[in-house]
Amino acid sequence: MTNTLGLRPLTARSVVLSTLLGSHPPRLRARYLVRVGELFGIAEGTIRVALSRMVAAGDLVQSDGEYELAERLLARQARQDESRFPRTLPWDGTWEIAVITAERRPAADRAALRQAMAALRLAELREGTWLRPANLSRSRPDIVEQQCTFLTGRPEDDLTAALWDLDGWAATAHGLITALDEADSLADRFTVAAAVLRHLLNDPLLPPELLPGDWPGPGLRAHYERFEVDFGRLLADHVLAP
């Protein structure tokens, strides 16, 4: 497998984090997380050290022997779930356009706004102007409402290629599908599946009218769901069992 697919080494932290991000609610007892680590050949002590460090870093909250995602990572889980099961609307050709109207914004506010715009899957046409097709159902965070004015309209030109690298996203998606099919160990499948989730976070979720006919988004989601079912059975049989 190649790092061009965004694969990251399997570590105790990544195993704990990915397991909790995929759990609903995202909370498990330490002994269950130790058992998950054992599936990947990670020693109990290594998992427990990772848990302590993640609590100290603010990634996890520990209470009565259970570890759960902290608020920041709960927001990531929500974005991850939305990427797997996007809430799309029928598209009538209109676009939502966000114009930044706030003045003299601190650097932290500017950075937070860019992050929020990306989470809303808006693309920046030029500094201060963000837009996308109006085909998604989602709420806007306060920082966006406070700094932007929203309009609706219809671009006279096709802006899709200027705003999103669809070829690049599709190439990586096809590579991940192949990697998930060819992975022959649990560790490899787990590693690729985590990369799939990260890649889905960058799916622009455009209406079909603006996508090429062989767009791999649905296929990538279907491959991940098959992995999720298999991994869920493994957890039920070997981790969560009494």
Side-chain angles (χ1 to χ4, degrees):
M1 293 183 290
T2 171
N3 284 334
T4 61
L5 299 179
L7 305 183
R8 300 175 183 174
L10 192 67
T11 64
R13 182 185 184 281
S14 66
V15 167
V16 168
L17 184 57
S18 293
T19 300
L20 289 174
L21 283 169
S23 301
H24 295 78
R27 181 173 59 251
L28 286 172
R29 290 196 171 277
R31 68 174 182 271
Y32 295 142
L33 292 167
V34 167
R35 290 180 187 176
V36 174
E38 291 172 350
L39 294 175
F40 299 97
I42 300 175
E44 175 178 351
T46 305
I47 291 291
R48 292 190 181 276
V49 168
L51 290 172
S52 296
R53 290 176 176 173
M54 294 173 76
V55 170
D59 294 330
L60 302 181
V61 176
Q62 191 272 341
S63 178
D64 296 328
E66 292 186 328
Y67 291 84
E68 61 182 313
L69 297 179
E71 184 174 353
R72 174 177 58 84
L73 289 174
L74 287 175
R76 175 175 167 182
Q77 185 187 51
R79 294 194 305 271
Q80 179 177 292
D81 290 347
E82 183 182 24
S83 297
R84 291 173 58 190
F85 309 107
R87 293 174 293 172
T88 57
L89 302 169
W91 188 52
D92 63 1
T94 60
W95 288 55
E96 56 180 293
I97 305 165
V99 179
I100 298 176
T101 52
E103 299 181 357
R104 297 182 179 180
R105 297 173 298 141
D109 285 355
R110 295 197 301 271
L113 179 64
R114 294 189 70 86
Q115 185 176 15
M117 292 301 219
L120 291 172
R121 289 179 166 79
L122 289 156
E124 191 174 27
L125 179 64
R126 54 161 295 169
E127 186 175 0
T129 304
W130 300 69
L131 66 166
R132 66 158 294 109
N135 71 316
L136 295 181
S137 173
R138 71 273 196 261
S139 59
R140 298 169 185 152
D142 289 343
I143 192 168
V144 172
E145 296 286 4
Q146 292 164 0
Q147 297 190 45
C148 299
T149 296
F150 275 81
L151 313 168
T152 57
R154 295 172 183 258
E156 294 184 0
D157 301 319
D158 184 357
L159 299 176
T160 307
L163 295 172
W164 294 280
D165 179 13
L166 297 186
D167 290 342
W169 194 94
T172 299
H174 285 302
L176 287 168
I177 289 172
T178 299
L180 203 51
D181 284 340
E182 294 180 350
D184 55 7
S185 70
L186 175 62
D188 284 348
R189 293 190 72 205
F190 191 88
T191 300
V192 177
V196 168
L197 289 178
R198 291 192 295 272
H199 194 54
L200 288 176
L201 287 172
N202 296 320
D203 185 346
L205 299 178
L206 300 178
E209 295 91 332
L210 298 179
L211 294 172
D214 59 348
W215 184 246
L220 186 60
R221 287 179 175 82
H223 270 67
Y224 179 81
E225 294 312 313
R226 286 196 288 273
F227 164 81
E228 180 78 0
V229 169
D230 292 343
F231 189 64
R233 289 173 181 158
L234 187 65
L235 291 181
D237 293 341
H238 298 285
V239 174
L240 301 179

